[in-house]
Amino acid sequence: MEHSQRARIRAGDAAAFAELFDDHARAVYRYAVRSTGNWSAAEDIVSLTFLEAWRLRGKLRPDGDSLLPWLLGITTNVLRNTARSARRHQAALARIPPQDSVPDFADELVGRLQDAEQLAAAQRALATLRRGDREVFTLCVWSGLDYASAAEALGVPVGTVRSRLSRARTRLRALAQQELERGREPLPGSGQHSVGRVEASWSTEEEHR
């Protein structure tokens, strides 16, 4: 079925491509959310990923197992491109003289505050990693790809995936230990520690790999 779907997608079959979206859009979205820390931006990443996948359908290998590594490889490139665009945009904004503005309190009304705090804490921790290490960690730990699939997604050898993932885990564990030794203050009104919750989330997902 997968091989037939590959052939149909390569031939430009819209129905086969719709099946691809139905099968994997949620996984692409989860990867994008965890990479960007922004639910709205992740929706744009999903759209861009599938637009790019349609454009590149002729380059899809005719053989292989799951199509998810191919899609997540495209997502990774989209994330890189949007990150570069965002940096250029921020640099342009920084050159604009500041103006008086009225505070917007709408964000205080969100219903998933703890999820946002947890995601933000994860983003801060992941931001300390090299880009390659961060991408491997997100693909293997959060998106559930095995070493071979992550290697296919990123276009690197399996050994590179293994070494990057090991380096990322070592760095994140050291960071979590530093936070524990610092004696962190609880999040307001939650009675919990953000990094502790994120560390538990990583550990839980790793146990289920």
Side-chain angles (χ1 to χ4, degrees):
M1 179 64 72
E2 189 83 37
H3 297 289
S4 174
Q5 187 183 33
R6 282 174 178 264
R8 290 164 59 202
I9 289 172
R10 283 169 53 87
D13 187 326
F17 198 79
E19 292 173 8
L20 178 71
F21 182 89
D22 291 340
D23 291 342
H24 299 303
R26 186 175 295 276
V28 172
Y29 177 73
R30 286 196 299 266
Y31 175 45
V33 166
R34 287 160 170 170
S35 298
T36 63
N38 186 302
W39 286 280
S40 178
E43 293 177 354
D44 293 336
I45 296 296
V46 172
S47 298
L48 290 171
T49 293
F50 280 93
L51 284 172
E52 187 69 358
W54 178 255
R55 188 179 72 83
L56 297 173
R57 65 190 184 278
K59 296 182 179 181
L60 176 63
R61 286 168 44 191
D63 59 343
D65 295 321
S66 172
L67 288 166
L68 183 59
W70 177 66
L71 275 177
L72 293 184
I74 293 174
T75 308
T76 300
N77 287 329
V78 170
L79 287 164
R80 291 172 182 171
N81 292 336
T82 54
R84 282 193 291 268
S85 297
R87 287 194 294 270
R88 288 194 294 267
H89 180 65
Q90 290 298 324
L93 289 179
R95 294 191 292 269
I96 300 175
Q99 298 179 350
D100 293 334
S101 60
V102 178
D104 183 0
F105 299 105
D107 288 343
E108 296 180 7
L109 303 179
V110 296
R112 293 182 291 179
L113 180 58
Q114 291 185 353
D115 288 342
E117 290 169 345
Q118 189 171 354
L119 187 56
Q123 285 297 305
R124 289 193 296 272
L126 290 174
T128 68
L129 302 179
R130 301 174 185 175
R131 186 184 73 181
D133 296 353
R134 183 170 59 249
E135 290 171 350
V136 166
F137 182 89
T138 307
L139 286 170
C140 290
V141 177
W142 274 348
S143 295
L145 295 191
D146 58 25
Y147 295 130
S149 296
E152 179 185 343
L154 297 173
V156 299
V158 172
T160 300
V161 171
R162 290 179 181 274
S163 61
R164 288 180 180 178
L165 183 57
S166 175
R167 189 164 55 228
R169 284 172 167 160
T170 299
R171 169 63 180 160
L172 291 172
R173 288 191 184 109
L175 179 63
Q177 184 61 36
Q178 290 172 10
E179 290 295 324
L180 287 172
E181 292 173 353
R182 243 185 240 136
R184 301 152 297 165
E185 290 296 324
L187 291 170
S190 70
Q192 299 183 31
H193 302 301
S194 60
V195 175
R197 286 183 287 142
V198 173
E199 181 187 10
S201 174
W202 291 333
S203 299
T204 300
E205 296 206 39
E206 288 187 76
E207 289 172 1
H208 288 84
R209 286 193 65 245

